[in-house]
Amino acid sequence: MQSAEYKEALLTDLQIYQQVYLHLKEKLATASMDRHASLDWSIRTLELQIAESETKIKWSNRQLQDLRLTDAHGGKTNYD
């Protein structure tokens, strides 16, 4: 998978997680007590998935930047 495709997949995942998160938050507001705990844990799981996706995107962006800097310096890693 190319870096642009990987980044696009990460962004798509993040967008889906965020949409489902908002949907479940709306459901939680009107949920019966027996559904409340299940929805709450689903929301917590989505919060983790969102944080993980954001971290992957940041990491990917840093790696691409490092590659650009390496290419710009004749193949030598620049740690400045």
Side-chain angles (χ1 to χ4, degrees), residues 3-35:
S3 60
E5 291 171 343
Y6 178 70
K7 186 174 179 180
E8 187 63 33
L10 291 175
L11 291 170
T12 299
D13 288 349
L14 177 60
Q15 195 172 40
I16 291 168
Y17 294 146
Q18 290 170 332
Q19 289 171 352
V20 174
Y21 174 83
L22 292 174
H23 174 74
L24 291 181
K25 288 292 261 188
E26 290 173 6
K27 292 288 186 189
L28 184 62
T30 60
S32 62
M33 289 306 289
D34 60 325
R35 296 265 305 140

Side-chain angles (χ1 to χ4, degrees):
M1 180 180 289
Q2 298 292 328
S3 60
E5 291 171 343
Y6 178 70
K7 186 174 179 180
E8 187 63 33
L10 291 175
L11 291 170
T12 299
D13 288 349
L14 177 60
Q15 195 172 40
I16 291 168
Y17 294 146
Q18 290 170 332
Q19 289 171 352
V20 174
Y21 174 83
L22 292 174
H23 174 74
L24 291 181
K25 288 292 261 188
E26 290 173 6
K27 292 288 186 189
L28 184 62
T30 60
S32 62
M33 289 306 289
D34 60 325
R35 296 265 305 140
H36 197 273
S38 175
L39 287 170
D40 186 52
W41 280 104
S42 294
I43 289 168
R44 290 179 190 208
T45 300
L46 282 165
E47 289 171 344
L48 176 60
Q49 290 171 318
I50 289 168
E52 183 179 284
S53 290
E54 291 171 341
T55 300
K56 285 180 179 180
I57 290 166
K58 288 176 188 174
W59 180 86
S60 177
N61 288 339
R62 283 194 308 267
Q63 301 315 307
L64 290 172
Q65 181 64 26
D66 285 351
L67 288 172
R68 284 187 210 103
L69 288 174
T70 299
D71 288 344
H73 291 91
K76 296 178 183 174
T77 305
N78 179 18
Y79 294 106
D80 294 336

